[in-house]
Amino acid sequence: MAAETKGLSPGGRGQPDWAAARAEFPATENYAYLNSAGAGPVSRRVAEAAAQLYRETLESGDRLWESWLARRERAREDVARLINAEPEEVAFTTNTSTGMNLIVDALEGAGPVVSCELEFPVTTIPWLHRGARVRMVRAEGGVLSAGDVLAAAGERPAVICLSHVQYSNGLRTPVEEIGANKGRHTFVVNASQSAGVLPVDVKRMGIDALCATGHKWMLAGYGSGFVYLSRELLERTRPRAISWMSVEDPFAMRNDGYRLRPDAAARSEMGCPHFAGIFALGEATRQLLEIGVERIERRALALNRHLTESLRAAGWEVLSPLGDEAWRSAETLVSAADPRGAVRQLSRRRVAVTIKPEGFRAATHFFNDETDIAQLVSALEELRDMKGI
């Protein structure tokens, strides 16, 4: 990426200007915002991308329809580039649940499903709803072994469905090892806790299908998301549900027959596009690509390392598995005797984290800095003497 790209310092051999990147997010002016694992803030440029659509609609209705369609395809190309997919393999959704259900549609009857006890419900319950047998692999000490996953899948074709990063304890799942050794199994990944902060390469990781939301680490706001279906998977499956916009020439208005549009994954996009969410996601993706996801990963993990070291030094118990740096993600589970009380008091001190059954979860993204972590630790110190916190 060229050094003159937005968010990068002009004379720093492509090194990001993190202070300038942080300034793009007004939320950082008011909060130590450590909650991207729950819902990330949006930048000024992302908010403007969505607002532009509504201004245009206000001024001229749908006169710019063709322009909006072109803008949508640019967003599709950028999302595809972010995960190293082809644009034809990417469809837009409004959240992770929609994407996972599209994947379940495509793979219905593909065999038993292997998942993990740490998983977010949307990774498992759509399969259960369709009558699939789902085997939950145990995570000993909060860590999931690739060998245990592959052993549970067995020799016959099965679906392995896992999150890249576990929402429950922040574990980074060994997706590359699983993908490299999946054999005849189909590998499905929920990337909602990784896309936007960790590199995702569907080809290198051997991923057959993937879904993600835009409102977490992608920093695109609610009502945005995407699904990836590999070309090989698309060629052997048909979408379970289609709309009038799923056909080759929707404006021919034929109601007595149809031919599905050739740009495969987009056949799953139902009806008229949610342009505002798509434009926000496209702009957020461009912002990530301009900075560079590898740079973002280094930044977020360095801050996370500083976070865990600071918490431990202050006497707080970190529950995320960190015995191996390969397990580290950009989110950390912290123990608290009264999770609700702790999160409520932190919020009063303008520190945003996520409540969890064991305590709270703190997340570090590229727009965060050491002052956010210091503010969290300081607020926790103030709360230490409060009963039950």
Side-chain angles (χ1 to χ4, degrees):
M1 193 70 65
E4 64 270 19
T5 308
K6 293 179 186 176
L8 302 184
S9 57
R13 298 175 60 84
Q15 291 304 308
D17 180 347
W18 296 119
R22 179 180 174 87
E24 274 286 304
F25 293 84
T28 62
E29 299 169 10
N30 302 311
Y31 301 94
Y33 199 91
L34 298 165
N35 193 33
S36 292
V42 299
S43 65
R44 289 184 172 87
R45 60 189 278 190
V46 169
E48 171 58 25
Q52 179 184 345
L53 179 278
Y54 290 113
R55 279 200 308 274
E56 291 169 347
T57 307
L58 179 70
E59 294 166 2
S60 60
D62 77 340
R63 185 181 62 85
L64 296 176
W65 172 269
E66 295 296 331
S67 172
W68 295 340
L69 291 180
R71 221 180 293 171
R72 176 189 64 176
E73 294 315 304
R74 182 189 174 193
R76 194 188 310 278
E77 291 169 2
D78 288 330
V79 170
R81 186 153 64 99
L82 183 75
I83 63 171
N84 191 27
E86 298 300 320
E88 294 78 12
E89 298 173 311
V90 172
F92 292 113
T93 64
T94 53
N95 48 49
T96 312
S97 297
T98 304
M100 186 60 75
N101 275 277
L102 288 171
I103 293 169
V104 175
D105 285 346
L107 291 172
E108 191 167 14
V113 177
V114 174
S115 194
C116 162
E117 64 180 356
L118 299 173
E119 279 297 337
F120 189 72
V122 78
T123 307
T124 57
I125 61 176
W127 303 98
L128 294 168
H129 181 63
R130 298 291 176 82
R133 180 168 60 87
V134 179
R135 181 171 181 180
M136 301 288 200
V137 178
R138 291 195 62 188
E140 297 292 342
V143 176
L144 185 66
S145 156
D148 288 347
V149 170
L150 295 167
E155 297 297 325
R156 295 185 177 181
V159 176
I160 298 172
C161 187
L162 296 166
S163 291
H164 188 181
V165 171
Q166 294 297 337
Y167 88 108
S168 50
N169 69 353
L171 172 74
R172 193 198 298 221
T173 304
V175 291
E176 292 189 40
E177 185 178 353
I178 293 169
N181 296 282
K182 67 180 182 180
R184 296 189 295 164
H185 305 312
T186 303
F187 192 22
V188 177
V189 171
N190 178 345
S192 287
Q193 291 292 357
S194 62
V197 68
L198 302 179
V200 176
D201 186 325
V202 293
K203 307 301 183 185
R204 179 171 54 81
M205 293 175 168
I207 297 171
D208 299 292
L210 175 146
C211 57
T213 187
H215 79 271
K216 295 181 184 290
W217 301 92
M218 292 291 296
L219 308 175
Y222 284 100
S224 61
F226 64 91
V227 62
Y228 156 79
L229 300 169
S230 71
R231 187 177 297 280
E232 294 76 12
L233 182 58
L234 287 163
E235 287 174 354
R236 68 174 193 261
T237 62
R238 287 171 62 83
R240 184 185 182 94
I242 64 170
S243 76
W244 72 284
M245 292 287 285
S246 304
V247 302
E248 266 191 341
D249 184 7
F251 292 98
M253 300 296 178
R254 288 194 57 186
N255 61 10
D256 59 349
Y258 69 97
R259 291 180 59 183
L260 290 175
R261 56 190 291 178
D263 47 348
R267 300 179 304 203
S268 300
E269 295 171 3
M270 300 296 288
C272 294
H274 176 42
F275 284 120
I278 293 170
F279 296 164
L281 182 66
E283 192 63 35
T285 303
R286 282 187 284 280
Q287 192 166 25
L288 296 169
L289 289 168
E290 287 167 5
I291 298 172
V293 180
E294 290 78 11
R295 296 186 184 99
I296 290 171
E297 177 189 35
R298 287 194 295 271
R299 169 74 170 176
L301 293 185
L303 286 169
N304 185 267
R305 210 167 287 115
H306 179 60
L307 169 71
T308 55
E309 290 169 357
S310 298
L311 286 168
R312 284 171 167 165
W316 292 87
E317 183 183 5
V318 173
L319 300 177
S320 295
L322 297 175
D324 187 325
E325 278 296 304
W327 303 339
R328 185 186 294 274
S329 69
E331 58 191 73
T332 298
L333 181 63
V334 185
S335 177
D338 177 8
R340 188 170 300 279
V343 172
R344 182 172 57 247
Q345 294 299 326
L346 287 172
S347 179
R348 289 173 180 168
R349 287 158 176 77
R350 296 188 175 275
V351 178
V353 295
T354 314
I355 188 170
K356 304 297 289 183
E358 306 89 342
F360 64 89
R361 180 182 61 193
T364 51
H365 212 328
F366 70 85
F367 60 79
N368 291 118
D369 64 15
E370 290 79 0
T371 66
D372 294 329
I373 295 168
Q375 188 171 336
L376 168 64
V377 174
S378 176
L380 288 171
E381 287 299 292
E382 292 178 24
L383 302 176
R384 188 183 293 279
D385 294 332
M386 296 181 63
K387 185 177 179 181
I389 299 298

